[in-house]
Amino acid sequence: VAYLNVDIACAGGHHFYGKGTPQLATLMKEVAAEVEIAATTRDDVAEHGGSGSSKKGGSDGAGKVPVAPETILENWVKYRKETPLFDTAGAGSDFAPFLQLIGVPVVDFRFTSDYYSVYHSTEDNYYWMSNYGDPDFAYHTAIAKMWSLLTFRLATDPVIPFNFTDYADHLDLYVEQIDNDENGCSKKHSISLLPLRQAIDRLHAAGVAAEKFRSRQWNVPPPPPPPPPP
């Protein structure tokens, strides 16, 4: 049904980042709104490129910074400066063959930062993570909860929670990028993008119909319990 990829649960930072194929964008946001990151602390030295030197603070004397509880979605919206919120997956990770070779929908998510100074070094170990990267393992726990709830929703929803209106909206963004590229094929070679736009409109309309059907299934009463044994 889908491939859920987590290469690194917490890359020494506290900024949530999610990407994947667009039909899973709504599901990711719904689940992110349900999972809370517990109150914790973070090490500013680890967050900004250092490796720290003690459990109470980094080598420059910086101490632990308290972090209030928040949902993953709140964190995601706060730190994601670009649109759309849910980025599109390409390659560069373990999900690539599932997506590129057999067309399986994928998501990839983590907590990250602009710095992960110990990455692929001998210092990239449990000691560093438990002292500086995620001392309370609050971000690891949040990722595990999100991973579990995504799996649960994909396995148990009455209709698989793919949203193809999201897919159409993402495709629209790409067509706009092509259309606005002065050196692109549409302007350089006078290629009309109208057939592509019309195909996306049809996908959007089909997605709206599918969402109406899916919402109706949530209102179907559960089957009656089996009769008691004789």
Side-chain angles (χ1 to χ4, degrees), residues 197-212:
R197 293 185 187 278
Q198 290 173 335
I200 293 171
D201 287 343
R202 292 194 295 272
L203 175 61
H204 192 277
V208 169
E211 279 304 294
K212 288 180 179 177

Side-chain angles (χ1 to χ4, degrees), residues 4 19 28 35 40 42 44 53 57 60 75 93 96 115 120-121 157 164 168 208 210 225:
L4 311 181
K19 65 181 179 180
M28 278 281 285
V35 177
T40 185
R42 71 172 188 270
D44 260 2
S53 63
D60 63 352
N75 179 287
S93 189
Y115 302 95
H120 280 184
S121 75
D157 273 18
F164 287 97
V208 169

Side-chain angles (χ1 to χ4, degrees), residues 173-221:
L173 292 174
Y174 295 135
V175 173
E176 286 302 315
Q177 290 175 12
I178 295 170
D179 204 23
N180 293 331
D181 185 356
E182 294 298 328
N183 297 312
C185 61
S186 63
K187 288 186 170 64
K188 209 168 185 178
H189 302 289
S190 301
I191 295 175
S192 172
L193 297 176
L194 180 60
L196 186 55
R197 293 185 187 278
Q198 290 173 335
I200 293 171
D201 287 343
R202 292 194 295 272
L203 175 61
H204 192 277
V208 169
E211 279 304 294
K212 288 180 179 177
F213 172 79
R214 192 166 76 90
S215 65
R216 288 198 300 269
Q217 303 316 299
W218 278 108
N219 298 319
V220 174

